[in-house]
């Protein structure tokens, strides 16, 4: 998992994604979950950008959030 953004920047990006894309975060996380089984963070970001025409920052924030939530589920 890779994060270049601060936690505050990450949260700000996530809050803007629904307005910018017309889709909420839960919908994007489902899209990633149902997408190809890519292993590397940057591969996931590149797939999301190419498949859904997202900016690099938004794609990276979505993948980072996906990885955070997946890791949290494993801890339970």
């Amino acid at each position: 998992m890779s994060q270049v953004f601060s936690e505050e920047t990450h949260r700000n990006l996530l809050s803007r994604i629904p307005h910018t894309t017309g889709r909420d975060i839960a919908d994007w996380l489902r899209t990633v979950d149902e997408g190809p089984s890519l292993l590397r963070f940057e591969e996931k970001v590149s797939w999301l950008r190419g498949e859904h025409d997202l900016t690099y920052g938004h794609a990276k924030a979505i993948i980072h959030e996906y990885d955070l939530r997946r890791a949290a589920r494993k801890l339970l």
Side-chain angles (χ1 to χ4, degrees):
M1 181 168 34
S2 170
Q3 181 181 6
V4 174
F5 306 131
S6 69
E7 185 61 29
E8 180 181 359
T9 300
H10 177 66
R11 292 287 155 220
N12 287 337
L13 277 167
L14 285 181
S15 71
R16 288 193 300 263
I17 287 171
H19 175 71
T20 305
T21 67
R23 295 172 64 181
D24 64 18
I25 296 302
D27 190 27
W28 282 114
L29 297 177
R30 255 188 319 280
T31 298
V32 174
D33 198 42
E34 294 168 356
S37 298
L38 302 170
L39 298 177
R40 292 182 40 240
F41 183 86
E42 287 298 329
E43 287 176 324
K44 295 176 195 175
V45 171
S46 292
W47 169 79
L48 197 57
R49 288 185 71 204
E51 193 71 23
H52 298 283
D53 197 31
L54 294 172
T55 66
Y56 178 74
H58 286 156
K60 189 171 181 176
I62 291 167
I63 297 301
H64 181 64
E65 186 67 16
Y66 178 82
D67 286 348
L68 286 174
R69 291 184 186 196
R70 188 180 60 176
R73 282 192 308 259
K74 287 182 179 179
L75 292 175
L76 297 177

